Amino acid sequence: MAFPLHRYRRLRRSESLRRMVRETTVEPSDFIAPLFVVPGTGVRQPVPSMPGVDRFSPELAAAEAKELAARGVLSVILFGIPDAKDAVGTSSADPEGPVCRAVRLIKEKSPDTVVMTDVCLCEYTDHGHCGMLKGHEVDNDPTLPVLAAEALAHARAGADVVAPSDMMDGRVRAIRDALDANGFQDVALLSYAAKYSSGFYGPFRDAAESAPSFGDRRAYQMDPANVREAVKEVLSDVEEGADMVMVKPALSYLDVVRATKEATNVPVATYNVSGEYAMVKAAAERGWIDGPRVTLEILTSMKRAGADLILTYHAKEAAEWLGR
Ligand code: PBG
């Protein structure tokens, strides 16, 4: 037989051949677009550390959701920046807060958009931690009803999916119970099941004004060195009632995405976080990398690792590059 025996290049010769044997595809419908929502009307503020990302008042967030839908991006996840913060995050359950207002407006202006909301307290507490404080520690159990009340407010506004990102133990069950007890059996729950204590959240904390005023989040978010623990987190969240689970961040945690995929049957999301976005934008701006090419390669790697859904600030531009 002729040498070389295997000529893999035969199937790489043309774009049509490559397409036929491609194992992984990325579609706009794989994306969930994060939107930062601020109070007021007519407000659109660029986020300096995230070029191309703006903070929107609720009606402009609704217009953005509609544009995303026109490009095939079927879902958004909302993060609120409230007017008022206090020690217990009272404004997190305000039905007139920016998130609840945006949920109602998106449902009105872009009814097919799947509206998800981030459920956490760090944007709503004056100390910037994700729960109730006892001294300098975040107190797990008293935080659960506060998170449940926030999720319930989002459900009442019309959210399709609530997504707790606080990393308190037991919060999935607490939120599921509160939703069910109030007639929201059909609101789905996407759990940030394996959320790591990561340096990649820096730009987000500027955008959401949610940096902790003291200390860090290592006592509740996961240690970046662990993967077995992530599988435990994922399995117990599914047991507690999560319909979908998330691994966050994405790029440095693709092994965790793969492990999660293999351990569960529920849809797996991964969060292509603010620091991952900012690195690509900064290098592309300097001409050091080809931004669109690198972005699509990164998004493909997340799908290849096993993600069904990707939360990404690239959603709109990537949908365009994919030919929408
Ligand atoms: C917490 C939350 C954070 C992110 C999403 N939800 C920040 C944190 O845990 O400090 C980060 C997202 C990103 O970096 O893009 N509500």
Side-chain angles (χ1 to χ4, degrees):
M1 201 173 314
F3 177 84
L5 191 53
H6 299 293
R7 290 192 182 272
Y8 298 104
R9 294 180 50 186
R10 286 178 194 134
L11 299 182
R12 296 178 194 149
R13 288 179 58 230
S14 69
E15 179 55 17
S16 300
L17 275 166
R18 289 189 293 270
R19 267 181 100 138
M20 285 172 65
V21 298
R22 189 159 289 153
E23 298 174 35
T24 308
T25 55
V26 178
E27 306 282 340
S29 58
D30 300 329
F31 305 147
I32 299 167
L35 296 179
F36 297 106
V37 193
V38 294
T41 48
V43 186
R44 181 177 185 144
Q45 303 161 332
V47 178
S49 52
M50 301 172 72
V53 173
D54 296 307
R55 311 200 305 181
F56 296 107
S57 52
E59 90 292 3
L60 295 182
E64 183 70 5
K66 205 172 166 172
E67 279 187 33
L68 283 158
R71 289 168 172 76
V73 179
L74 308 176
S75 180
V76 296
I77 182 163
L78 306 181
F79 295 91
I81 297 97
D83 270 330
K85 305 188 186 214
D86 61 20
V88 294
T90 307
S91 56
S92 64
D94 179 3
E96 292 309 316
V99 168
C100 289
R101 286 182 53 214
V103 170
R104 290 192 292 267
L105 289 171
I106 295 170
K107 281 286 154 194
E108 201 180 297
K109 288 200 187 144
S110 186
D112 293 334
T113 295
V114 173
V115 182
M116 305 194 178
T117 58
D118 181 78
V119 173
C120 194
L121 299 175
C122 59
E123 298 110 289
Y124 302 95
T125 53
D126 50 17
H127 46 75
H129 278 286
C130 303
M132 304 299 102
L133 290 186
K134 191 162 108 194
H136 270 194
E137 279 189 26
V138 174
D139 203 358
N140 194 88
D141 296 10
T143 301
L144 302 180
V146 185
L147 292 166
E150 179 182 8
L152 199 52
H154 296 170
R156 287 200 172 103
D160 300 295
V161 180
V162 293
S165 66
D166 52 283
M167 289 302 276
M168 297 304 117
D169 291 318
R171 94 281 206 197
V172 170
R173 174 75 186 274
I175 292 171
R176 185 71 266 163
D177 284 352
L179 293 173
D180 291 355
N182 286 278
F184 294 104
Q185 291 86 351
D186 293 334
V187 170
L189 204 153
L190 163 62
S191 162
Y192 287 65
K195 177 175 178 181
Y196 288 86
S197 179
S198 170
F200 286 99
Y201 306 151
F204 174 95
R205 290 178 187 172
D206 292 341
E209 298 169 17
S210 66
S213 62
F214 64 87
D216 54 43
R217 305 204 203 289
R218 286 176 223 251
Y220 42 105
Q221 299 180 345
M222 282 185 59
D223 186 327
N226 294 355
V227 62
R228 289 194 308 255
E229 186 191 358
V231 172
K232 266 182 11 186
E233 282 275 11
V234 163
L235 293 179
S236 58
D237 280 4
V238 171
E239 221 173 82
E240 286 182 35
D243 301 287
M244 301 182 273
V245 292
M246 192 198 301
V247 173
K248 175 187 173 187
L251 203 46
S252 293
Y253 297 85
L254 295 181
D255 57 325
V256 184
V257 173
R258 169 55 56 198
T260 297
K261 184 68 171 185
E262 283 168 3
T264 56
N265 295 316
V266 299
V268 175
T270 193
Y271 200 144
N272 176 208
V273 298
S274 58
E276 300 169 13
Y277 176 85
M279 290 193 305
V280 169
K281 287 290 169 191
E285 240 172 55
R286 283 160 182 73
W288 292 348
I289 59 171
D290 174 341
R293 182 174 175 180
V294 166
T295 300
L296 293 176
E297 190 172 331
I298 286 172
L299 295 168
T300 301
S301 74
M302 291 167 188
K303 289 287 305 284
R304 197 188 61 230
D308 301 291
L309 297 166
I310 305 171
L311 289 81
T312 179
Y313 304 99
H314 295 290
K316 198 177 181 183
E317 59 185 10
E320 267 162 26
W321 300 330
L322 289 168
R324 287 283 179 149

